[in-house]
Amino acid sequence: MLDVAVIEDPAAAEASLDPIRRRILAALAEPGSAAALAARLGLARQKVNYHLKELERHGLVELAEERRKGNVTERVYRATAASYVISPAVLAAVSPDPTRAPDQLSARWLLALGSRLVQEVGTLLTGAARAQRRVASFGIDAEVRFASAADRTAFADGLAEAVATLVARYHDESAPGGRSHRVVVGLHQIPATPVAPDTDSAAAPDTDTDTDAVPDSGPGQENAG
């Protein structure tokens, strides 16, 4: 079983989004038969069998083993991965293009960069799984709380300068046998956690995206942070 499988086929993506099939995929983190799944999920066995065949057809589940019980052969299935990611390649014709109107302050451009990241890393993961190799990659995830919009802007400027310095130091366009790598750095506000309906109104979520009075700097200003 793979840790993560990237779904690039539109039909497979559609199959994975079906509510019942999502439940079956989650349940098949541990191998199980149609009968066992039906009992666990409270569904008819015939319905589970139908969905299993569709998931198998799209490579989302696979046969783990066959058990002989009297005159009956029980087929035991398992998910092909612990988790799945749908690649933006599924919506290639309408997926965001980061080469179109790049703007460091645009939330749309940041989303386009993320979309390309998923697509490119997904392609690498798929190829590496076939070759039984690991993908050389590196990631950083950090959280920072700014006291003001000015601090946020200064942080973004410093980060951009530091990345540019590192890229200039190590980039070698003419290196024989060199391999190009992509560096993506993003900064965005963390969405507020929804509050349950019965929670006291005094503890309502903070919906203020920016209390600082900062002048609008243009079309890209919708994601200054």
Side-chain angles (χ1 to χ4, degrees):
M1 177 188 288
L2 299 173
D3 288 333
V4 181
V6 182
I7 300 174
E8 297 181 328
D9 176 62
E14 183 179 2
S16 71
L17 292 173
D18 178 272
I20 293 178
R21 292 171 193 169
R22 289 206 309 268
R23 294 175 62 197
I24 292 174
L25 281 175
L28 286 179
E30 297 292 334
S33 64
L37 286 169
R40 194 186 317 171
L41 301 177
L43 299 170
R45 180 173 177 174
Q46 293 83 352
K47 178 175 287 190
V48 171
N49 261 322
Y50 166 75
H51 288 295
L52 278 173
K53 289 178 181 178
E54 286 299 299
L55 290 169
E56 185 180 25
R57 185 164 69 90
H58 293 294
L60 301 175
V61 304
E62 61 188 1
L63 184 65
E65 63 174 307
E66 291 185 333
R67 300 169 181 166
R68 191 72 179 176
K69 290 188 175 182
N71 295 327
V72 178
T73 299
E74 183 181 55
R75 295 166 63 86
V76 178
Y77 292 89
R78 66 183 172 204
T80 54
S83 57
Y84 298 87
V85 175
I86 297 178
S87 171
V90 170
L91 298 172
V94 292
S95 63
D97 182 2
T99 65
R100 187 184 305 132
D103 179 354
Q104 286 185 318
L105 298 181
S106 169
R108 296 176 182 85
W109 192 57
L110 180 60
L111 195 61
L113 291 177
S115 174
R116 184 177 64 186
L117 175 69
V118 172
Q119 186 169 344
E120 291 184 345
V121 175
T123 299
L124 290 173
L125 277 174
T126 301
R130 291 173 184 154
Q132 296 185 331
R133 299 179 63 180
R134 291 176 59 87
V135 175
S137 63
F138 172 72
I140 294 178
D141 179 30
E143 181 178 334
V144 55
R145 185 177 180 88
F146 298 111
S148 67
D151 284 352
R152 182 183 59 202
T153 299
F155 177 89
D157 290 343
L159 182 60
E161 183 180 347
V163 172
T165 300
L166 280 172
V167 169
R169 182 187 304 169
Y170 291 102
H171 179 65
D172 188 345
E173 189 68 37
S174 59
R179 294 186 176 184
S180 295
H181 289 66
R182 193 178 307 282
V183 179
V184 178
V185 179
L187 176 67
H188 64 84
Q189 186 173 335
I190 300 173
T193 304
V195 176
D198 59 346
T199 301
D200 191 292
S201 59
D206 179 12
T207 57
D208 185 8
T209 57
D210 192 351
T211 57
D212 300 284
V214 181
D216 190 345
S217 63
Q221 186 64 32
E222 87 272 8
N223 189 42

